[in-house]
Amino acid sequence: MRVIITNDYESLSKWAAHFVAKKILDFNPTPDHKFVLGCPTGSSPLGLYKELINLNKKGIISFKNVITFNMDEYVGLPESHPESYHSFMWNNFFNHIDIDPKNVHILNGNAPDLLAECAHYEEMIVEAGGIDLFMGGIGPDGHIAFNEPGSSMTSKTRIKTLTTNTIQANCRFFDNDVNQVPKQALTVGVGTVMAAREVIILCNGHTKSRALKHAIEGGVNHMWTVSALQLHEHGNIVCDEDACADINVSTYKYFKDKQRIEGLLDTYINMF
Ligand code: GLP
């Protein structure tokens, strides 16, 4: 696993955005050979999306030949609701880049048959050739997408009931009222994320420090679903100093030494 420790949220966002942009550029997508990108929501990726928009506006990267699959969506929340993940993605990313709307895929949490919706989503990912790069965040309880503690590490897209912890964490988007937060979501599985050719997880702030510790130093454990990344051949976690509060000093120092020796930090931050 590659762990990059940046000074703050701003450099984390820049690092991650440039990493993603470089992957797309190197892939050189065409209409017949599109790049497939997995997309998260939440506050963590906001800076990353802002920088990708910036690179797109400057003409450095294009999303014309990029297909996206979002990680998750609430069940029963209208798409037009300001806190739906549909609204989030269009407002914070898709409306500002040159992506073709028909290449955007977001789970429909209002589908008449939710199980069929999930199965179809997996089929579409396969038809697209699989996901080249899955971007993600981490919940304070170590979940990726909405794969709550106890999720199968080989799970595919399905319905998940949210934990109280997640409902409380997300109520900041719903007038701080837990009763307004949907109790279920459709989510790609841990297995869906792990099937991507590469994964990059963003982890910032002190509230994520326990999750980061379990992701890096704990064993692979379905109670911290992000720990599945330990089994991925191309897993990356980019975090900030605040998120490192709970990892061992030796772990911290190793990854800092590694990124200095390999020049990993500056390479991406100063890439464009
Ligand atoms: C939600 C999303 C996750 C996201 C997490 C963290 O639970 N389903 O994909 O990683 O929130 O969100 P934030 O980045 O706002 O801390």
Side-chain angles (χ1 to χ4, degrees):
M1 184 194 291
R2 179 192 275 160
V3 178
I4 298 294
I5 303 170
T6 63
N7 283 343
D8 49 29
Y9 179 67
E10 202 190 327
S11 29
L12 172 151
S13 303
K14 230 176 182 184
W15 196 94
H18 293 185
F19 180 86
V20 173
K22 177 82 166 56
K23 292 285 164 189
I24 298 174
L25 285 173
D26 288 351
F27 188 95
N28 195 17
T30 63
D32 298 327
H33 182 53
K34 295 193 177 73
F35 187 87
V36 185
L37 185 64
C39 296
T41 56
S43 48
S44 311
L46 282 173
L48 154 76
Y49 288 145
K50 227 170 136 191
E51 180 62 9
L52 285 175
I53 293 167
N54 180 30
L55 296 177
N56 185 230
K57 293 223 183 297
K58 284 185 177 157
I60 293 170
I61 47 159
S62 168
F63 293 89
K64 278 209 170 82
N65 295 313
V66 172
I67 299 183
T68 63
F69 284 92
N70 257 81
M71 286 189 139
D72 42 20
E73 178 57 285
Y74 290 113
V75 167
L77 197 66
E79 271 182 23
S80 58
H81 189 286
E83 294 305 336
S84 79
Y85 288 171
H86 279 77
S87 298
F88 177 97
M89 288 309 295
W90 286 99
N91 292 339
N92 292 300
F93 193 37
F94 299 141
N95 277 336
H96 311 284
I97 57 171
D98 61 347
I99 198 159
D100 183 340
K102 74 171 190 311
N103 289 332
V104 169
H105 302 87
I106 307 178
L107 282 154
N108 177 5
N110 295 291
D113 183 343
L114 293 173
L115 289 179
E117 169 70 11
C118 294
H120 180 54
Y121 205 67
E122 287 287 338
E123 279 163 23
M124 288 193 296
I125 293 175
V126 172
E127 269 165 35
I131 291 175
D132 291 300
L133 177 61
F134 224 130
M135 311 182 287
I138 313 189
D141 60 2
H143 69 236
I144 37 170
F146 266 131
N147 292 287
E148 299 288 33
S151 292
S152 158
M153 299 298 244
T154 56
S155 50
K156 297 291 184 190
T157 305
R158 69 217 183 289
I159 309 169
K160 273 314 277 190
T161 297
L162 307 184
T163 60
T164 304
N165 189 313
T166 297
I167 291 170
Q168 274 169 355
N170 289 1
C171 79
R172 67 202 145 116
F173 302 115
F174 293 87
D175 305 326
N176 284 315
D177 177 3
V178 286
N179 298 315
Q180 287 185 43
V181 185
K183 304 295 177 285
Q184 290 193 310
L186 300 188
T187 178
V188 295
V190 182
T192 317
V193 178
M194 292 306 132
R197 289 177 197 99
E198 185 148 21
V199 180
I200 179 170
I201 300 293
L202 316 182
C203 182
N204 64 284
H206 193 265
T207 54
K208 305 291 175 69
S209 63
R210 279 183 68 223
L212 186 68
K213 182 175 180 62
H214 284 275
I216 304 175
E217 294 178 340
V220 175
N221 184 325
H222 70 172
M223 296 314 284
W224 298 85
T225 53
V226 67
S227 65
L229 199 63
Q230 292 174 21
L231 298 178
H232 199 287
E233 213 178 342
H234 300 290
N236 304 276
I237 296 187
V238 51
C239 56
D240 66 359
E241 291 282 342
D242 288 349
C244 292
D246 281 315
I247 58 172
N248 292 327
V249 174
S250 54
T251 309
Y252 174 85
K253 283 180 86 66
Y254 172 64
F255 285 117
K256 287 290 263 195
D257 285 348
K258 187 174 182 301
Q259 72 191 32
R260 183 174 41 77
I261 292 164
E262 296 176 12
L264 278 174
L265 193 63
D266 298 339
T267 309
Y268 284 101
I269 287 190
N270 301 320
M271 181 157 280
F272 301 108

